[in-house]
Amino acid sequence: MDLKLRQCFIAVDDHDKALTFYRDVLGLEVRNDVGFEGMRWVTVGSPLQPDVEIVLEPPAANPDASPSDREAMARLLAKGMLRGVIFSTADCDALFARVQEYGTDVVQEPMDQPYGVRDCAFRDPAGNLLRFMERAEGRR
């Protein structure tokens, strides 16, 4: 079977703040910015992976979501309880310094893990957990 990941979705409560973080701090490129029915979706991706995209979407973007579901999603997002993504990087420490300089909420400073990676973690402006890992064989 020929399967590839194409898109993943991250809920954000402020697209402008998210865009500043994902574009200006992480260096992802903006591939699409669409508004529809009072909502906004911004698609970003790494220049190194032109076929993989992250869609920054409103919490509970499903048009069938009830007002109480939307409220529940907004509360979970505010608590940082929604899932994020894991990025790979060639230099975890340099990435950590760059992201920390932006003033992002640090969850974990760079550390060597027993399963062969060095990683760190932050929360994006909406509270989503983002991990950044460097494989041991890629270390200098």
Side-chain angles (χ1 to χ4, degrees):
M1 197 175 296
D2 183 14
L3 294 176
K4 293 182 180 179
L5 175 66
R6 176 70 178 122
Q7 293 180 320
C8 64
F9 293 78
I10 296 178
V12 298
D13 54 0
D14 184 324
H15 280 84
D16 292 328
K17 285 182 183 177
L19 190 55
T20 297
F21 178 76
Y22 286 93
R23 181 193 58 213
D24 301 343
V25 177
L26 295 184
L28 301 181
E29 60 188 16
V30 177
R31 299 194 179 147
N32 211 352
D33 191 338
V34 177
F36 181 71
E37 294 188 6
M39 292 185 272
R40 182 179 179 192
W41 289 263
V42 177
T43 305
V44 297
S46 169
L48 302 174
Q49 290 181 296
D51 57 342
V52 179
E53 299 176 329
I54 298 170
V55 181
L56 306 174
E57 67 173 352
N62 183 333
D64 296 325
S66 69
S68 63
D69 288 343
R70 289 180 196 281
E71 184 179 315
M73 288 294 292
R75 281 195 316 270
L76 289 171
L77 179 61
K79 291 180 180 181
M81 298 297 292
L82 301 181
R83 300 300 302 178
V85 295
I86 300 175
F87 292 90
S88 64
T89 181
D91 189 339
C92 182
D93 294 281
L95 182 133
F96 179 83
R98 177 181 171 95
V99 177
Q100 186 179 35
E101 187 176 289
Y102 175 72
T104 305
D105 181 23
V106 174
V107 174
Q108 175 199 307
E109 293 189 8
M111 64 184 295
D112 294 322
Q113 300 292 353
Y115 42 88
V117 301
R118 181 167 181 80
D119 69 357
C120 62
F122 293 92
R123 295 212 178 271
D124 75 0
N128 295 297
L129 180 65
L130 304 178
R131 298 193 72 80
F132 302 90
M133 63 172 246
E134 172 186 352
R135 294 215 176 269
E137 66 269 11
R139 302 215 40 217
R140 298 185 254 303

